[in-house]
Amino acid sequence: VVEVLFLGTGGGSPDAERGNTALLIRAPEFTTLVEAGPGVERQLARADVRVAEVERLFVSHRHGDHALGFPMLILNRRHAETPLQLYAGLNTAAVLETLCRVTFPRHLIGDRLNLRVHALSEQGTQEAVLAPGVTLRTALVAHHPGVPTLAARWDFAGEVSLAYVTDTRPTAGIVALVRDCDLLIHEASFSAVLQPGADPAAHNHSTAQQAGDIAREANCPRLALVHLGPEIGRHPDVLVKEARAGSDLDVLVLGDGERVCL
Ligand SMILES: [Zn+2]
C-alpha cells in the first residue's frame, strides 16, 4: 500500500485553509517528503510526523513556496541517524545548500548538514532507484525561464505509480512522464471557470481544466489538484467539475491533512 498524505494543497499564498503544497509519500520501508515550503515543519507536526522520520525529500524548484522551509528542516533534523537524501535539480540543490549556508553559517555547513544530495538533470528526463522496487523518474517542465522545474513520478514494484506535476504550463513531456499513473497530482493555480479572463500560460501555470486534459491524455484514472490559487481553493466542487469536463475521470480536491491510499 502506498499512502499519499496531502500536507498542504495551496499555492504561493497560503491562507487559513491551505498551506503551501507539500506531500508525504509512504510505503513499506519508504518515505519521501515532497517540497519544503516555509511551513513544512508545522505541516509535518500536524500530521504527527517527526522531522527525523523524513528520509528523502524531492524539491521541484527553487521558488520560495517550495524551498524556503529547507534550512529549518535541515537544522532540526541534523542529528538524525541517517542523512536526508535530497533529490532536486542541479540548480535547485545548489540554491538549497546556499540557503542553509546563509541562514545558519555556523551550524549548516559541510558534514553538519547531515545531507546527501542527488542532483538531477535539468535538461530532460532522469531515472533513479530510491529503494528496492522504488523508482523515481523526473522531467523538466515549463515554468519561468531561469528557474528549472522538475516533475516527478514514483513507481512502486511495478504495481503502483503516482506522479506530481507543479508550477508549469501543459507540455507534451508531462504527458509522457505521467502516462498510465494510478494517481496524478497536478497543480491548478488557476480555474478556467472561476477566472475566465486569466492567462495561466503567461504565469507558467495551469488551470484545473488543463490538469484534467493531461490526466485524460495520459490515461491516468485519478487526478488530485494541488497548488490551488487563493481564490479558487474555496470552490472545490467547481474545480472537480472543471477538471472532469464530463468524463469519468476521478478528480479529488482534498483539504490539508487528508490522505489517499493506493
Ligand atoms: Zn509554487
Side-chain angles (χ1 to χ4, degrees), residues 11-12 61 63 65-66 166-167 205 227:
H61 66 300
H63 278 161
D65 52 325
H66 303 256
T166 196
D167 291 61
H205 279 294
H227 206 276

Side-chain angles (χ1 to χ4, degrees), residues 2 20 46 57 61 71 81 96 98-99 122 125 142 158 185 202 212 222 229 232 241 253:
V2 177
N20 298 133
R46 289 183 70 142
L57 168 66
H61 66 300
E81 274 177 39
L96 292 171
T98 301
L99 283 174
E122 289 168 335
T125 58
I185 301 162
R222 224 168 179 200
I232 70 171
K241 199 172 165 209
V253 177

Side-chain angles (χ1 to χ4, degrees), residues 25-89:
I25 303 172
R26 285 191 283 206
E29 315 280 309
F30 178 84
T31 302
T32 189
L33 175 65
V34 178
E35 310 288 24
V40 71
E41 280 181 280
R42 172 105 169 108
Q43 291 173 313
L44 287 166
R46 289 183 70 142
D48 221 8
V49 178
R50 292 176 303 117
V51 287
E53 289 174 56
V54 177
E55 299 166 346
R56 297 172 193 81
L57 168 66
F58 169 78
V59 177
S60 62
H61 66 300
R62 72 169 78 160
H63 278 161
D65 52 325
H66 303 256
L68 278 178
F70 183 75
M72 294 312 299
L73 181 72
I74 288 293
L75 183 79
N76 289 320
R77 86 176 289 299
R78 71 190 188 282
H79 301 304
E81 274 177 39
T82 54
L84 179 72
Q85 310 282 328
L86 170 67
Y87 294 85

Side-chain angles (χ1 to χ4, degrees), residues 155-199:
D155 284 276
F156 294 85
E159 284 175 14
V160 173
S161 52
L162 64 110
Y164 170 66
V165 179
T166 196
D167 291 61
T168 181
R169 54 193 153 76
T171 71
I174 294 169
V175 176
L177 178 75
V178 310
R179 184 159 295 287
D180 298 324
C181 271
D182 299 293
L183 173 66
L184 170 61
I185 301 162
H186 197 292
E187 74 134 295
S189 299
F190 293 93
S191 161
V193 172
L194 295 165
Q195 301 160 306
D199 182 5

